[in-house]
Amino acid sequence: MTTIYLSLGSNIGNRKKKLEKAVAELNKNNIKEIKISSLYETEPVGPKQRNFYNIAGKFKTNLNPQELLKVLKQTEQKLGRTKTYRWGPRVIDIDILFYGKQVIKSKNLIIPHKEIINRAFVLVPMKEVASNFVHPTQHKTIKTLNNVLQKDTYIKCIEKI
């Protein structure tokens, strides 16, 4: 089984419930929860819209990266996600942050997620889950990346783990 890290977010409907349902669905689909961060409220990237609720999670899976991506997209659709515009509102958004220590660059999948180092809504919750995890291309821990991040966006812990 491979240890993976995911980022989940929602800004439509009952945001907390959507995140809980997403984690439950992942657990049913061979993506087993190990640790989930606290719940954070964050400003959206892009156009003005409702704030997001975000979490990060550590999971184990025996799915390969492409199979994992397929299950995540199916989970998003099952929970009501539809295609909108770039950085638009989302019922649920699930991103693969890390797949073990692998670096993957394919047409439809880039791991590690290329924006991790620029996003407080990813690094702050990820620090709770795996502060000593070393980013495979930046060669720095999540804690270090979080400490040097310019946190100029709103991020607030809503519920501690």
Side-chain angles (χ1 to χ4, degrees), residues 16 36-40 124 128 156-161:
K16 181 181 175 188
I36 300 293
S37 72
S38 298
L39 178 65
Y40 289 88
V124 172
E128 284 185 26
K156 177 183 177 188
C157 184
I158 298 295
E159 188 173 293
K160 285 295 238 182
I161 53 171

Side-chain angles (χ1 to χ4, degrees), residues 44-83:
V45 173
K48 186 154 178 61
Q49 56 190 294
R50 185 179 188 198
N51 284 346
F52 275 83
Y53 276 8
N54 293 94
I55 58 173
K58 177 180 181 178
F59 298 83
K60 290 233 182 228
T61 190
N62 61 11
L63 300 172
N64 69 45
Q66 291 295 331
E67 292 169 334
L68 175 62
L69 179 63
K70 183 177 179 182
V71 169
L72 297 182
K73 295 301 173 195
Q74 290 170 342
T75 300
E76 289 176 339
Q77 288 177 341
K78 182 174 183 176
L79 294 175
R81 180 164 178 181
T82 56
K83 279 261 187 216

Side-chain angles (χ1 to χ4, degrees), residues 3-6 34-38 40 55-59 97-98 100-101 116 122-136 140-146 161:
T3 300
I4 62 168
Y5 297 92
L6 305 175
I34 305 300
K35 186 173 183 181
I36 300 293
S37 72
S38 298
Y40 289 88
I55 58 173
K58 177 180 181 178
F59 298 83
L97 302 176
F98 301 103
K101 296 267 184 191
I116 291 170
V122 172
L123 286 176
V124 172
M126 187 60 194
K127 183 179 163 189
E128 284 185 26
V129 173
S131 65
N132 293 319
F133 180 82
V134 177
H135 190 296
K140 295 178 179 152
T141 65
I142 296 299
K143 181 179 179 180
T144 300
L145 291 170
N146 183 63
I161 53 171

Side-chain angles (χ1 to χ4, degrees), residues 22-34 36 59:
V23 171
E25 280 298 314
L26 297 176
N27 278 297
K28 289 185 212 171
N29 286 286
N30 206 13
I31 305 165
K32 302 301 177 199
E33 169 191 347
I34 305 300
I36 300 293
F59 298 83

Side-chain angles (χ1 to χ4, degrees), residues 99-141:
Y99 186 93
K101 296 267 184 191
Q102 290 190 39
V103 176
I104 300 167
K105 290 184 181 177
S106 68
K107 183 179 175 185
N108 67 336
L109 184 60
I110 297 173
I111 301 173
H113 192 284
K114 61 185 177 180
E115 291 297 325
I116 291 170
I117 61 171
N118 301 317
R119 302 226 166 119
F121 70 84
V122 172
L123 286 176
V124 172
M126 187 60 194
K127 183 179 163 189
E128 284 185 26
V129 173
S131 65
N132 293 319
F133 180 82
V134 177
H135 190 296
T137 61
Q138 298 293 315
H139 309 291
K140 295 178 179 152
T141 65

